[in-house]
Amino acid sequence: MTFLALDVGNTRLKWALYEQPRPGATLLAQGAEFLENIDKLAEGAWADIDQPVSMLGCIVAGDAIKRRVESQIEERWDVAGNYGEGEGDFRPRWVVSGSEEAGLSNGYDHPARLGADRWVAMIGAWHSMHARAASAAGSPAANRPLVVVMVGTAVTVEAIDDKAKFLGGLILPGHGIMLRALESGTAGLHVPTGDVCEFPTNTSDALTSGGTYAIAGAVRRMHHHLHQRTGQLPWVVMTGGAGWKMLPSMGMEVELQDSLIFDGLLEIALRRGLKG
């Protein structure tokens, strides 16, 4: 009686097996594979996992990767004949951004064009932050606006107002893309990663500090806009593989949560009534 959650990004596939499809469920197993290795999942990381009762995933890597992931699911577990309309059957399900999901409304000009990872992470962040605030206070907490930051291959900075509406967000290059762009466009600029410092005195430190402060500045700007819009100080929550590197340079209170996309998938699975 388990639930499989998948987060397929531009570089890696991350998976988590939970006891049930609901927030706070016990995590039974988890792992990650680079996309070039996903064809080994059925006979590798998933080989000893019994068939889950249900599955829900988030994917931004494109249709070709999606087909490869579904092929591994079908190779490892029995999905033949289980493509009915009921929510108790095991089959690949993927979140697609829409105008509303799990209590959040989507203010994107074309809601379906919003990246599914951004949408799911916002749902996870909104519900986890407010549930914890309510629990700490002993009663339902007043809604506060929220800035959600994902630091990965690209960086996204999202704004959610106090009425649970996604107002819009920023997209900027991650550290790796920034460095590669500078190396390709600047003659002789091939230096190792340096340290973040206030007044860099060598090229390595200048590059690392510039990229880090560019991301921090985007977050602070969005925080300022959202504060002005709502009249309330927003929470800021950050996720992504490079999130921990950003924290010392943010200059503001930021909470790091590693599992925002999985938190969002669990919340959506509960709202959709998936079995587990």
Side-chain angles (χ1 to χ4, degrees), residues 221-242:
R221 175 56 59 181
M222 183 61 83
H223 182 274
H224 174 73
H225 290 327
L226 191 54
H227 185 193
Q228 284 193 319
R229 174 74 170 260
T230 65
Q232 301 182 60
L233 278 174
W235 283 318
V236 181
V237 60
M238 180 177 288
T239 193

Side-chain angles (χ1 to χ4, degrees), residues 152-258:
T153 305
V155 177
T156 57
V157 186
E158 324 289 9
I160 305 173
D161 71 10
D162 53 316
K163 298 177 178 61
K165 180 178 180 179
F166 167 53
L167 300 176
L170 310 174
I171 303 175
L172 61 154
H175 284 90
I177 295 177
M178 289 187 198
L179 290 176
R180 288 193 295 273
L182 285 168
E183 287 182 351
S184 65
T186 306
L189 190 61
H190 298 284
V191 294
T193 301
D195 296 320
V196 177
C197 49
E198 293 182 354
F199 304 102
T201 55
N202 61 73
T203 305
S204 295
D205 291 350
L207 287 168
T208 299
S209 301
T212 299
Y213 291 139
I215 294 170
V219 176
R220 292 180 67 86
R221 175 56 59 181
M222 183 61 83
H223 182 274
H224 174 73
H225 290 327
L226 191 54
H227 185 193
Q228 284 193 319
R229 174 74 170 260
T230 65
Q232 301 182 60
L233 278 174
W235 283 318
V236 181
V237 60
M238 180 177 288
T239 193
W244 65 273
K245 296 181 181 179
M246 286 297 307
L247 282 183
S249 305
M250 292 304 299
M252 61 192 306
E253 185 175 348
V254 177
E255 177 161 340
L256 186 63
Q257 290 191 23
D258 291 333

Side-chain angles (χ1 to χ4, degrees), residues 3 9 52 69 81 95 108 122 135 150 152 168 181 190 216 219 228 247 271:
F3 168 73
V69 175
V95 175
Y108 226 47
M122 283 188 274
S135 176
M150 287 201 297
H190 298 284
V219 176
Q228 284 193 319
L247 282 183
R271 302 293 184 109

Side-chain angles (χ1 to χ4, degrees), residues 100-115:
E100 190 279 335
E101 180 91 55
L104 260 68
S105 59
N106 188 345
Y108 226 47
D109 290 342
H110 302 281
R113 296 182 185 177
L114 175 67

Side-chain angles (χ1 to χ4, degrees), residues 89-158:
D89 56 317
F90 179 74
R91 57 187 171 98
R93 291 184 177 86
W94 304 97
V95 175
V96 177
S97 301
S99 58
E100 190 279 335
E101 180 91 55
L104 260 68
S105 59
N106 188 345
Y108 226 47
D109 290 342
H110 302 281
R113 296 182 185 177
L114 175 67
D117 57 339
R118 298 170 63 188
W119 183 230
V120 172
M122 283 188 274
I123 290 171
W126 176 265
H127 286 285
S128 63
M129 295 293 284
H130 285 85
R132 284 165 46 198
S135 176
S139 60
N143 285 348
R144 278 178 59 185
L146 180 63
V147 175
V148 183
V149 186
M150 287 201 297
V151 185
T153 305
V155 177
T156 57
V157 186
E158 324 289 9

